[in-house]
Amino acid sequence: MSASKFDQVHKIGNAVDTITACLGAAVAGVAMFLPINFSWTTETSPYRLASLNNSVPRGAAIGVIVAVAVAVLVTTFSKPMMAWAVALAAAFTMDINHFAGRHVSSADMLTTQNYLDSILAGVLLGALGAAVLRRPGPAAGFAIGGAGFFVYGDLAELLETSDGDPYSVLETPPRWLIGVAVVLLIISTLRNRSQPKQPSSPTTVIELPVTPILASMVLALVILAITEWLARQYQHAPDVGHAVEIGMAVAATVIAATAAAMLLPGRDGAGVYLAVSLVAAADAVGGDSRPAWSIAALLVLTALGLLVGIRMPSMFIAIFLIAGLAVFALLKSANHGYVVAASSAVIALTAGYCCGAAWPRYAPSGVLAIAALYLPSIITALPHDSAEWPPAGSANHQTLAGRTALAIVAGSALGLVVLRRIRPRRRPKPNHPVAGESVADI
């Protein structure tokens, strides 16, 4: 094969891996972000409905921990092909889980399946991250898929609905999307099957780096616990302002992000700070449903932001953009169509820029930063604009959410300053390289 033909084949293969990473990350993110099934909600009891709703943030927390653990394990012990194979197995099993979900009428069983969906999503996200985060093209696809679908959020327009009722969604993500991901993963797994594992000395003792796993556990479990705790405070006393409780929740969120960031190597923890702040700001901004065609525009804007972040990385610009979103949420008074469109565009650009500016040196760090986008935030525990919370009118809720998000952003900004001062510009060489790289490449 001539050199030019070989280069052409390599570029095509790299493009396929990029598309696979993008779609795989999107499928994993949607599986962690939304319940597996809504179709029975109109006929179930409030208790069972609450059980499913509670399983979503808890499943996301489990998925984050599983994702980082899988990324660490695959990075430490496996050659690149094994990472693709693990991702393929997770996606295929997820497809089976959704097939079973079509034939289950019990809400209790669907709650269990939702947890299984989140675990499989974590395996898929972690294995994909280990496979691609040392390759620029596929890594960019991974970031666009994860961050882009976080920006889009509501997938009701893309899924099976009836009479425009979002609660009639059959499954999330839909089986056709999982099926496409499985096909692409098969192709990428076969394409990467010949990549050898990096040679090591026979006397080398392999040790499992547990600090990224500890970081994911601290971040996910603390944020989950503090969000549920704050929600209970409002449920028990909806007429009270709960300023002290909100302050405690903000402090706990920033402390959890700081602990996780310090457990990661070098300055990789910057991605955790940006993810926690971005989730809070995006939740505070909120937004209504968007037309299905807008997903393409938002993915393009996410990719544009990613490119700018890679070319001109700056933590100051990243945190400034997120702070701007929080201020916008503080001042916003209504969700008109043009307001939703503008805010969605800015969130997409900001998410992409943050991914590029906080590009990690260690694959599990990047997996944690992307997966953290799907964790709940304390903003979701604040009173919403509905009949459930009569004391909270639209303006009051928006102001409270904006102030809370701004406080989290301020705490994260302070943490970023401290991280940059106490950590060297380049992280120390790891004992175990990321899949696909040697220590000499770092």
Side-chain angles (χ1 to χ4, degrees):
M1 182 182 295
S2 63
S4 60
K5 184 174 292 186
F6 176 82
D7 290 341
Q8 184 178 5
V9 171
H10 178 73
K11 289 179 180 179
I12 294 174
N14 202 54
V16 171
D17 288 349
T18 300
I19 297 172
T20 302
C22 180
L23 188 59
V27 167
V30 173
M32 285 197 290
F33 194 59
L34 296 172
I36 186 173
N37 193 303
F38 278 113
S39 59
W40 47 267
T41 53
T42 57
E43 301 176 357
T44 191
S45 66
Y47 171 78
R48 289 182 173 179
L49 184 58
S51 177
L52 181 70
N53 289 336
N54 289 336
S55 74
V56 176
R58 294 172 186 175
I62 294 171
V64 169
I65 297 170
V66 170
V68 177
V70 168
V72 170
L73 288 170
V74 172
T75 296
T76 304
F77 297 108
S78 301
K79 61 182 181 179
M81 190 276 290
M82 184 58 66
W84 289 103
V86 171
L88 171 60
F92 182 73
T93 309
M94 186 185 296
D95 192 34
I96 296 174
N97 189 42
H98 280 251
F99 173 78
R102 287 177 175 264
H103 305 283
V104 172
S105 58
S106 168
D108 295 330
M109 180 60 71
L110 284 170
T111 299
T112 301
Q113 286 186 300
N114 189 61
Y115 282 117
L116 179 59
D117 213 37
S118 297
I119 292 172
L120 293 171
V123 176
L124 173 58
L125 195 68
L128 265 182
V132 305
L133 278 177
R134 296 307 302 172
R135 299 166 55 193
F142 181 80
I144 293 169
F149 276 80
F150 156 77
V151 171
Y152 195 80
D154 182 8
L155 294 177
E157 292 79 7
L158 295 180
L159 309 178
E160 300 179 38
T161 62
S162 62
D163 300 325
D165 179 10
Y167 289 100
S168 66
V169 173
L170 178 61
E171 56 185 337
T172 54
R175 282 196 67 205
W176 66 264
L177 191 63
I178 303 174
V180 174
V182 169
V183 172
L184 289 172
L185 283 166
I186 291 173
I187 296 173
S188 290
T189 301
L190 293 175
R191 201 188 78 80
N192 290 278
R193 68 184 184 279
S194 61
Q195 292 188 16
K197 184 178 180 179
Q198 294 296 332
S200 59
S201 171
T203 59
T204 300
V205 177
I206 298 179
E207 298 178 358
L208 180 67
V210 298
T211 51
I213 302 175
L214 291 177
S216 68
M217 294 177 65
V218 169
L219 183 68
L221 296 180
V222 171
I223 288 181
L224 175 65
I226 200 66
T227 301
E228 293 187 343
W229 172 80
L230 185 59
R232 287 194 298 271
Q233 302 310 304
Y234 272 103
Q235 289 174 355
H236 294 155
D239 297 327
V240 182
H242 296 292
V244 174
E245 288 88 345
I246 293 175
M248 293 171 60
V250 169
T253 300
V254 174
I255 291 172
T258 299
M262 295 305 171
L263 285 168
L264 296 177
R267 295 180 175 179
D268 281 2
V272 174
Y273 280 121
L274 295 182
V276 169
S277 300
L278 183 59
V279 170
D283 283 344
V285 171
D288 293 334
S289 297
R290 291 167 287 249
W293 59 263
S294 67
I295 189 171
L298 292 178
L299 288 176
V300 169
L301 290 173
T302 304
L304 178 60
L306 177 70
L307 179 61
V308 175
I310 293 173
R311 298 289 185 182
M312 299 183 296
S314 170
M315 288 297 107
F316 173 78
I317 294 177
I319 206 71
F320 178 80
L321 290 173
I322 299 174
L325 286 172
V327 172
F328 172 75
L330 182 64
L331 301 177
K332 187 180 68 168
S333 59
N335 275 339
H336 298 298
Y338 64 88
V339 175
V340 173
S343 60
S344 298
V346 174
I347 293 174
L349 287 168
T350 302
Y353 183 86
C354 290
C355 288
W359 200 274
R361 299 296 301 274
Y362 185 47
S365 302
V367 170
L368 177 56
I370 293 295
L373 294 173
Y374 296 96
L375 286 173
S377 76
I378 62 172
I379 306 299
T380 60
L382 300 178
H384 298 287
D385 307 329
S386 68
E388 297 178 19
W389 304 98
S394 177
N396 290 337
H397 168 73
Q398 205 62 51
T399 300
L400 178 61
R403 289 202 308 265
T404 305
L406 195 58
I408 293 175
V409 174
S412 297
L414 181 60
L416 282 170
V417 172
V418 174
L419 179 68
R420 292 176 66 83
R421 286 187 176 274
I422 67 174
R423 289 290 172 85
R425 185 172 296 276
R426 296 185 62 187
R427 71 176 177 88
K429 294 180 180 180
N431 293 327
H432 309 290
V434 177
E437 74 171 354
S438 64
V439 172
D441 294 331
I442 299 175

